[in-house]
Amino acid sequence: MKGFLFFRLFLRDLKKQRKKITLTTLAIAWGTFSIVMLLAFGEGLKNQMSKANSGLGKGICIMWGGQTTIPYQGLGKGRRIRFTEEDVELLKSRIPEIENVGGEYNRWEIAMTYGKKTLTERVNGLYPCYEEMRSHYPEKGGRFINDLDLKYKRRVVFLGNELKERLMGNEKNVVGKTIIINSIPFTVIGVMREKLQMGAYGGMDEDKVSIPATTFKAIWGYTYFNNLVYQPKDPEKAEQVEKEVYKVLGAKHKFDPEDERALGIWDVINQAKEMNKVFLGISIFLGIIGGMTLLIAGVGVANIMFAAVKQRTREIGIKMALGGKRKDIMSQFILESLMIAFFGGGAGIVFTVIIVRILQAIPIQSEGLQFLGKPTISWDVMAVTIVILGLVGLLSGFFPSRKAAVVNPVESLRYE
Amino acid sequence: MIEIIGMTKVYTTGKVNVEALRGIDLKIEKNDFISIMGPSGSGKSTLMNIIGCLDTPTQGEYHLEGMKVAELDPNRLADIRNQKIGFVFQNFNLLPYATAFENVEIPLIFKGDSFKKRKARTEELLEIVGLKDRMDHKPTELSGGEMQRVSIARALACNPSIILADEPTGNLDSVSGAEIIEIFVDLWNKGHTIAIITHDTKISSRTQRIIKLLDGMIVDGGGA
Ligand SMILES: Nc1ncnc2c1ncn2[C@@H]1O[C@H](COP(=O)(O)OP(=O)(O)O)[C@@H](O)[C@H]1O
Ligand SMILES: [Mg+2]
């Protein structure tokens, strides 16, 4: 009944100050909406970016040969450093912190034909470890290059999904079909599953044609890899592993481990980490903007409650005369402002969820929007928002209620 | 049960000091039925507010059932107002948005009674003042006499030791006023201690003792 009476009080207040209360409730709803929505967009962008980042590879470093810039052990500078299969084996055996290493051969402007269509494209010679390391996952029904392909130098090809479209159109079930590469027939074993890729070297993976490294070598007679890709066991230790790589390869190729230009290493792991920091920054910034909006709305609620205290001095006096304590007097105002905060906040959250659902249901077509991603409501954000709402409600009720608690009952009951 | 010794009350409004009470000595025993009379501004309400623990004296001692009121903390004073004192005001001071039932219930809520207990007690109280059939009415739907009966029921809610009424019939017509007087007499007969501020000799003539106040001092009827 106490709660019921309180609710009646609230409704009466609502009627008396309908405009003001509606406005502040809306302000709270708007503040909540902007916090949750902004952070939902931030979260969506972050998810999409980390997906795009892992499109290039998860926890990898990409390495290529360079030129020495420091004379070493009697050898002058300006020597080219290049890698072979031996180096791959060396890294595998000498650095236990490396989970996986693979090299790749590249060749540009290779003619390939399917039916009447001929394209001139880039061909890669790859190892099976690229499936995991470089996210070359096959669409259903297909597969990536395996050890047997490598062993028997099979003439099999794994196609980038975009290139497949260009070469073979929207033909389905292309696995098992034959395409002619460099006048040699190759059997299609798989098409790459569509992926979001941010960051690339030598073109996007969706545009590439991959064949077993051994087949590649047999056709074009390459000795040196164009790139190596390795994956540290512990992504946190990428920098340590990098130092090891310089040491091990420096010893073999006779360059100073301090000679940074002898190798090029692109630390994709670190880049992802840096990006996460940027996104954390963006989230904090967006959160602060939303929080400010809520704070301003909170001042509005406090204003209403101050007015309510003034209007209700007589009622406060009556309650005191009947034995109401400080907490009884104060709790009414605090509960009322909490209620406004949670009504408004609830409305804001519901509104956000609806908008986010709608946005998630709309298919994304354009490339740019694809990177923006879809707004995603994270539960962390929700929890933080609710806590902030609670605080705003509590504080905007607390200060006015302190005024109520010091009402002089004798004064307030004296006049009609 | 009430003993007041050398009590003064000075109100300071801006630069002017108003001496509302100037040395009051007063004793009220259990089951006393007293009336306080005096011209407007003589300090009657001030005295009653202090007796009811709503206000504090500037000087002097106030003992209520053996307790030194000056030494009690605000929460204890609230408990006393809740359970030992029942106020009845000239202008009723009912909550306008609440029904008769809800108004009477308020002291019981502050006391912390369960809903079941409150409901039973509230209905009993409204029965005593003859308004059981009006318990869902709001003050605006009641006559002056009925409103005052609701406020008497509210004053009685926690079975207080003393009922303090400040001109309870001041806003009522003579018929309703007479009814209210009968209720007070009835309560006195049941053992309540009652102090009524009034200008009405029809009331004061029914009480055991008349205390006359003038300019903040008791001029008649102070000793027990
Ligand atoms: N809160 C107050 N502030 C200032 N003066 C007051 C206050 N309450 C009462 N007074 C003054 O104290 C005197 C006594 O007032 P009151 O006790 O209300 O008299 P009564 O009830 O006998 O009419 C009056 O002069 C009144 O103006
Ligand atoms: Mg008075």
Side-chain angles (χ1 to χ4, degrees):
Chain A
M1 206 68 183
K2 190 172 187 175
F4 189 62
L5 190 64
F6 154 71
F7 196 70
R8 291 267 292 272
L9 271 168
F10 180 71
L11 286 184
R12 178 205 57 177
D13 233 52
L14 197 69
K15 272 185 206 142
K16 267 197 180 166
Q17 314 194 55
R18 190 181 294 156
K19 233 185 193 156
K20 252 177 152 182
I21 289 194
T22 315
L23 277 177
T24 35
T25 309
L26 275 178
I28 293 272
W30 173 247
T32 311
F33 174 75
S34 51
I35 282 196
V36 181
M37 201 65 194
L38 283 174
L39 290 177
F41 266 109
E43 185 78 11
L45 189 64
K46 186 176 122 189
N47 286 347
Q48 205 69 352
M49 283 299 172
S50 73
K51 225 202 229 161
N53 219 30
S54 67
L56 178 61
K58 282 181 287 275
I60 57 167
C61 296
I62 298 158
M63 185 169 89
W64 55 94
Q67 273 188 352
T68 59
T69 55
I70 304 174
Y72 190 66
Q73 292 186 357
L75 295 162
K77 57 185 183 181
R79 271 183 311 121
R80 280 196 72 181
I81 305 294
R82 295 194 286 183
F83 309 120
T84 63
E85 274 160 39
E86 253 178 61
D87 295 297
V88 170
E89 293 311 317
L90 189 70
L91 289 177
K92 253 186 210 164
S93 59
R94 294 283 302 278
I95 308 177
E97 287 84 16
I98 288 185
E99 173 80 32
N100 230 332
V101 204
E104 70 181 86
Y105 302 109
N106 307 142
R107 196 174 176 90
W108 282 263
E109 308 215 345
I110 308 290
M112 53 192 72
T113 308
Y114 177 72
K116 285 181 186 144
K117 186 107 185 170
T118 298
L119 296 174
T120 306
E121 294 294 333
R122 165 177 157 167
V123 173
N124 294 341
L126 302 183
Y127 288 87
C129 58
Y130 266 58
E131 176 169 3
E132 283 293 329
M133 276 204 296
R134 289 273 287 96
S135 302
H136 281 47
Y137 297 111
E139 268 176 11
K140 240 179 131 180
R143 66 169 178 86
F144 190 64
I145 295 159
N146 65 22
D147 288 327
L148 290 175
D149 296 334
L150 224 54
K151 190 174 171 195
Y152 299 115
K153 299 179 190 163
R154 282 178 183 157
R155 289 170 175 179
V156 292
V157 62
F158 181 81
L159 299 173
N161 49 303
E162 187 59 35
L163 181 124
K164 181 253 152 195
E165 293 291 318
R166 283 193 281 131
L167 187 64
M168 311 173 89
N170 47 16
E171 186 176 332
K172 291 210 167 71
N173 306 321
V174 294
V175 172
K177 297 271 157 63
T178 302
I179 63 176
I180 311 295
I181 300 176
N182 200 33
S183 310
I184 303 164
F186 276 78
T187 307
V188 176
I189 52 169
V191 177
M192 192 177 76
R193 199 189 299 161
E194 190 178 340
K195 70 178 181 185
L196 205 57
Q197 182 183 353
M198 193 180 62
Y201 52 98
M204 301 300 272
D205 294 339
E206 60 187 16
D207 284 318
K208 290 180 195 168
V209 162
S210 308
I211 63 173
T214 48
T215 318
F216 188 103
K217 210 176 164 182
I219 296 171
W220 288 292
Y222 274 40
T223 312
Y224 298 109
F225 287 125
N226 294 66
N227 299 294
L228 292 190
V229 173
Y230 68 84
Q231 186 178 34
K233 279 195 178 115
D234 182 357
E236 296 296 318
K237 291 192 179 141
E239 267 176 59
Q240 242 169 280
V241 171
E242 190 176 315
K243 280 207 184 93
E244 283 294 306
V245 168
Y246 270 90
K247 243 190 246 164
V248 170
L249 293 180
K252 176 164 179 274
H253 293 271
K254 299 207 167 42
F255 65 80
D256 190 334
E258 301 293 316
D259 191 352
E260 291 198 4
R261 304 283 289 275
L263 306 175
I265 294 184
W266 177 11
D267 186 346
V268 180
I269 302 167
N270 195 36
Q271 183 185 324
K273 255 199 249 162
E274 292 295 318
M275 209 170 67
N276 277 341
K277 273 185 212 157
V278 171
F279 277 108
L280 185 67
I282 291 177
S283 287
I284 290 172
F285 176 70
L286 295 180
I288 287 174
I289 291 179
M292 292 291 250
T293 319
L294 262 190
L295 214 70
I296 291 164
V299 172
V301 176
N303 246 323
I304 285 201
M305 296 325 285
F306 273 121
V309 169
K310 228 175 175 178
Q311 276 173 4
R312 291 189 219 159
T313 42
R314 183 175 206 85
E315 173 190 320
I316 294 165
I318 294 172
K319 287 184 172 170
M320 286 175 165
L322 297 177
K325 297 183 177 143
R326 255 179 95 90
K327 68 166 172 38
D328 296 312
I329 307 296
M330 288 175 78
S331 62
Q332 184 196 347
F333 295 95
I334 293 174
L335 284 175
E336 273 189 35
S337 63
L338 271 178
M339 210 144 128
I340 293 177
F342 280 117
F343 264 145
I349 287 173
V350 167
F351 192 54
T352 318
V353 169
I354 291 172
I355 297 277
V356 165
R357 283 275 154 81
I358 290 172
L359 287 179
Q360 281 175 342
I362 299 172
I364 297 177
Q365 300 295 355
S366 98
E367 293 262 328
L369 281 178
Q370 213 165 44
F371 275 96
L372 186 58
K374 301 232 171 179
T376 309
I377 294 177
S378 81
W379 294 110
D380 297 359
V381 167
M382 208 67 130
V384 169
T385 309
I386 288 170
V387 168
I388 293 176
L389 277 172
L391 274 177
V392 164
L394 216 59
L395 290 181
S396 58
F398 177 73
F399 292 104
S401 80
R402 277 214 315 200
K403 272 227 147 121
V406 297
V407 161
N408 180 343
V410 176
E411 292 272 332
S412 69
L413 292 174
R414 225 151 81 93
Y415 303 103
E416 185 65 300
Chain B
M1 70 187 289
I2 284 173
E3 192 175 9
I4 288 168
I5 305 159
M7 179 184 287
T8 65
K9 177 70 181 179
V10 180
Y11 289 110
T12 316
T13 35
K15 284 182 185 135
V16 195
N17 283 353
V18 181
E19 288 183 85
L21 298 177
R22 301 192 293 171
I24 301 281
D25 297 304
L26 179 64
K27 261 188 174 170
I28 301 174
E29 299 298 339
K30 194 166 165 47
N31 202 21
D32 270 1
F33 188 18
I34 66 168
S35 51
I36 301 171
M37 301 186 81
S40 184
S42 57
K44 306 182 295 292
S45 296
T46 302
L47 177 59
M48 201 185 89
N49 288 334
I50 294 174
I51 293 174
C53 299
L54 265 184
D55 209 348
T56 49
T58 309
Q59 274 181 335
E61 277 179 41
Y62 172 24
H63 301 265
L64 174 63
E65 293 187 334
M67 294 176 287
K68 277 191 168 178
V69 174
E71 292 169 358
L72 303 176
D73 67 62
N75 278 341
R76 187 79 189 92
L77 288 174
D79 281 335
I80 288 175
R81 289 195 296 268
N82 183 231
Q83 284 155 54
K84 295 199 183 300
I85 315 274
F87 284 102
V88 177
F89 301 95
Q90 177 176 3
N91 51 20
F92 323 126
N93 278 332
L94 297 173
L95 299 185
Y97 50 85
T99 62
F101 182 96
E102 288 166 339
N103 267 293
V104 175
E105 193 191 12
I106 294 169
L108 299 168
I109 293 175
F110 290 143
K111 190 182 166 201
D113 277 353
S114 70
F115 173 65
K116 238 174 132 180
K117 240 175 153 177
R118 296 205 302 264
K119 186 168 162 17
R121 177 66 179 153
T122 305
E123 283 173 2
E124 182 190 3
L125 288 162
L126 286 166
E127 178 103 66
I128 292 173
V129 296
L131 282 177
K132 199 168 176 219
D133 54 335
R134 295 292 176 87
M135 67 183 189
D136 292 327
H137 290 239
K138 292 202 176 158
T140 45
E141 298 157 355
L142 299 171
S143 71
E146 287 168 335
M147 282 196 266
Q148 197 56 297
R149 282 192 269 159
V150 172
S151 80
I152 292 172
R154 183 180 66 180
L156 290 170
C158 299
N159 208 6
S161 5
I162 180 159
I163 294 164
L164 303 172
D166 193 344
E167 301 188 38
T169 60
N171 280 5
L172 302 180
D173 60 86
S174 54
V175 178
S176 321
E179 283 170 12
I180 296 299
I181 297 166
E182 292 315 316
I183 292 175
F184 280 116
V185 173
D186 217 40
L187 290 171
W188 172 46
N189 287 333
K190 282 178 186 159
H192 287 275
T193 310
I194 301 171
I196 301 180
I197 294 174
T198 186
H199 295 293
D200 190 348
T201 48
K202 269 183 267 164
I203 297 182
S204 58
S205 63
R206 303 288 293 272
T207 61
Q208 285 176 305
R209 176 152 66 107
I210 300 173
I211 293 164
K212 288 212 167 110
L213 235 64
L214 189 66
D215 287 339
M217 289 192 284
I218 293 176
V219 291
D220 195 15

